Amino acid sequence: MESWLKESGAVGLNDLELADFQVTGRGIRSLQYYKEGETVLTIPSGILWTVEHAYADPLLGPALRFAQPPLTVEDTLATYILFVRSRKSGYNGLRSHVTALPTSYSSSIFFTENDLEVCAGTSLYTITKQLKRQIEEDYAGLVARIFGQHRDLFPHDKFTIEDYKWALSTVWSRGMDFVLPDGNSIRLLAPFADMLNHSSEVKQCHAYDALSGNLSVLAGKDYKVGDQVFINYGPLPNNRLLRLYGFVLSSNPNDSYDLVLSTHPAAPFWEQKQKLWISAGLDSTCTISLTLTDPLPKNVLRYLRIQRLDESDLSVIQVDATDGIINESNEVEVLQVLVDSFCGLLKNFGTQLEMLEEQLAASVHPPGGNAWAAAHVSLGEQRVLRLARKRAEDLLAAAESGRGRRGDLSPPARCAKCDKVSGPFMLCGRCKAVNYCTRACQVAHYKEHKAVCRVISTTSKNGSRMK
């Protein structure tokens, strides 16, 4: 592959090499010193995997144009990769890249039912189940629209559903997305550059030049000879990392839970409420991410305040009013719904947080395996939901005490262990996020608090990929 890349105009390959690393597996090693910001690698436009190049191919292009409705970007790239892999001659350069790709992936769509059950109750569990069904439907559509129509180009034994899943995972885990100056976007795969692993310790450092069409990788930090060179996929939670890339980060500071809020159009006063949601930048169905640093975003409260408005409120309400407390009864109802909902969501997890921590400590799930990764996703989502529930409980207590009528949305200070609300209190010295009334309460709460404490206090620091 490297010889083809050099002949095609790739720059930087003489100072890099593919290597196997203990934690991350296959990656790219530096053979020279790099200062942060220096160009490490450039892959020219002509050898990138893109939708444009797929349609320009003299054999594949006509078949793609024949398909109606047109294939999605993901399906086009997946079909392109499978097409090249299936060719017995020609496409030597691209086939050398395909040969270097992993023969299997560890993203969640390949999990056994037992592995997936470890994260039952998580958004990953639900999305993976939906993805598996969607992939079967999409594959059947491709057979009807293109594969079955051109068997000379797409032999059945080279374009099975398992082949399709492999190609999709290749696109998910190795594709790069960029927004162009005209507002359009492009997804591409860059040979050799796609071997770079993720680390949140480096700055985002890959760039697409819309004028030349070239893909460049810059040094996201200083590198010494022998260092592994990384890129940064972005601040992604474990549920997304495992679904798309097949790995997780222990104590990921970007862990989140995607809360889906929805109201049926047949609900009372739906049209009036829909106007308010739209004016507030929301919709009747919203997915809002709860995070470790913001477990109960204002938009969750804003959505539910609108949802719970009665006829008398709707006659006088202004959209700006939904950014704060509308009235005491509305606020108490909203917060009680949230507390009940969070309790219900937490009960739905197949294995509770404390048990998962014990299982991981005892290596019940072999480190680095699918069940181990699923357990980390469940841990992260449960920690976020517990923080969200605590926040809602504190706000509910404030609203019921009457402080909400004065517009004070801050929950009362209370001990994180015993719930005592009268001071004085001392803050956790590490994360500065929770209070304790005594040293004894702090010590007793340490086992429960330590994981979240570590994540909150190190949101700007994390390790490399762990699966």
Side-chain angles (χ1 to χ4, degrees):
M1 177 176 64
E2 287 90 334
S3 297
W4 163 64
L5 290 170
K6 291 176 183 177
E7 292 171 1
S8 302
V11 178
L13 292 171
N14 290 333
D15 300 313
L16 302 167
E17 68 176 0
L18 292 176
D20 291 319
F21 296 89
Q22 186 172 4
V23 175
T24 63
R26 179 59 62 93
I28 294 179
R29 179 160 52 206
S30 171
L31 300 178
Q32 72 160 43
Y33 290 89
Y34 289 102
K35 295 293 291 183
E36 182 180 319
E38 282 188 72
T39 300
V40 174
L41 177 67
T42 300
I43 306 297
S45 170
I47 56 176
L48 298 174
W49 298 85
T50 66
V51 169
E52 180 182 2
H53 288 164
Y55 273 85
D57 185 271
L59 296 177
L60 179 62
L64 290 173
R65 287 188 287 273
F66 177 81
Q68 293 298 324
L71 275 60
T72 64
V73 170
E74 284 183 352
D75 282 347
T76 301
L77 291 173
T79 299
Y80 190 14
I81 292 168
L82 288 178
F83 172 75
V84 169
R85 189 175 74 164
S86 71
R87 305 305 293 176
K88 296 180 180 179
S89 61
Y91 303 91
N92 291 338
L94 288 176
R95 279 198 293 123
S96 70
H97 177 223
V98 173
T99 301
L101 294 173
T103 57
S104 63
Y105 291 99
S106 52
S107 52
S108 60
I109 62 169
F110 297 104
F111 281 20
T112 65
E113 287 298 318
N114 287 340
D115 289 337
L116 198 57
E117 282 299 320
V118 176
C119 65
T122 65
S123 56
L124 176 70
Y125 181 88
T126 303
I127 291 172
T128 300
K129 293 278 190 178
Q130 294 171 343
L131 263 179
K132 288 184 175 183
R133 292 192 294 269
Q134 188 63 52
I135 287 170
E136 291 179 357
E137 294 176 9
D138 290 347
Y139 175 72
L142 288 173
V143 170
R145 289 154 55 203
I146 183 168
F147 296 165
Q149 302 292 328
H150 306 274
R151 281 300 181 194
D152 56 326
L153 296 178
F154 310 111
H156 178 70
D157 63 330
K158 303 292 185 182
F159 288 81
T160 67
I161 189 168
E162 292 304 316
D163 293 321
Y164 174 57
K165 288 166 66 176
W166 172 84
L168 273 182
S169 294
T170 298
V171 175
W172 291 343
S173 62
R174 313 181 95 75
M176 299 180 182
D177 297 290
F178 300 95
V179 177
L180 303 177
D182 61 5
N184 292 320
S185 60
I186 184 172
R187 171 169 285 194
L188 57 86
L189 279 73
F192 197 85
D194 66 345
M195 303 294 178
L196 291 160
N197 288 317
H198 164 76
S199 173
S200 58
E201 292 184 344
V202 304
K203 296 179 179 179
Q204 291 191 337
C205 51
H206 47 295
Y208 178 76
D209 185 340
L211 189 60
S212 67
N214 296 340
L215 182 284
S216 294
V217 177
L218 310 179
K221 65 173 186 178
D222 293 346
Y223 290 109
K224 303 187 298 295
V225 174
D227 285 349
Q228 182 173 184
V229 180
F230 293 99
I231 58 173
N232 190 325
Y233 298 169
L236 300 178
N238 276 339
N239 51 33
R240 187 172 173 84
L241 286 174
L242 188 53
R243 175 167 59 88
L244 297 179
Y245 301 100
F247 70 92
V248 296
L249 300 174
S250 182
S251 299
N252 188 343
N254 301 305
D255 271 332
S256 65
Y257 182 89
D258 290 333
L259 183 66
V260 179
L261 300 171
S262 182
T263 304
H264 196 278
F269 314 112
W270 184 87
E271 290 184 359
Q272 291 170 266
K273 293 176 181 180
Q274 172 71 348
K275 291 177 181 178
L276 289 172
W277 281 318
I278 292 174
S279 297
L282 303 169
D283 206 339
S284 60
T285 298
C286 284
T287 300
I288 301 174
S289 290
L290 316 182
T291 66
L292 290 166
T293 53
D294 190 9
L296 190 56
K298 287 184 177 180
N299 274 345
V300 173
L301 296 171
R302 199 168 195 183
Y303 179 97
L304 291 174
R305 285 170 183 148
I306 293 172
Q307 185 193 61
R308 299 285 157 166
L309 290 172
D310 58 27
E311 186 174 11
S312 60
D313 292 328
L314 284 167
S315 64
V316 296
I317 194 71
Q318 299 292 322
V319 67
D320 290 345
T322 63
D323 198 31
I325 296 175
I326 295 171
N327 57 58
E328 182 178 350
S329 62
N330 176 276
E331 194 70 7
V332 168
E333 182 181 0
V334 163
L335 293 169
Q336 187 62 63
V337 165
L338 279 172
V339 170
D340 293 343
S341 297
F342 292 144
C343 287
L345 289 170
L346 285 164
K347 285 180 181 178
N348 285 336
F349 282 82
T351 307
Q352 294 299 298
L353 187 148
E354 293 79 9
M355 179 61 72
L356 278 176
E357 289 178 331
E358 291 178 8
Q359 290 175 350
L360 289 170
S363 296
V364 172
H365 306 300
N370 291 344
W372 176 88
H376 279 279
V377 171
S378 185
L379 280 177
E381 293 199 10
Q382 288 190 64
R383 286 170 182 156
V384 171
L385 282 172
R386 288 192 180 195
L387 290 173
R389 179 180 64 184
K390 186 67 167 66
R391 174 70 173 165
E393 288 172 342
D394 289 347
L395 290 174
L396 178 60
E400 290 179 331
S401 72
R403 293 189 307 116
R405 287 195 298 270
R406 300 191 294 274
D408 183 5
L409 280 175
S410 300
R414 63 175 67 221
C415 177
K417 175 60 180 175
C418 70
D419 273 346
K420 181 179 178 181
V421 293
S422 58
F425 294 106
M426 56 182 182
L427 282 171
C428 170
R430 187 179 189 186
C431 71
K432 306 291 192 289
V434 297
N435 297 291
Y436 296 102
C437 61
T438 64
R439 173 66 177 166
C441 275
Q442 184 177 20
V443 172
H445 192 242
Y446 176 70
K447 184 177 180 180
E448 179 181 347
H449 175 61
K450 64 178 180 178
V452 172
C453 179
R454 182 170 62 251
V455 169
I456 293 175
S457 60
T458 59
T459 54
S460 63
K461 182 179 179 182
N462 203 355
S464 306
R465 56 182 287 173
M466 293 189 61
K467 181 173 183 288

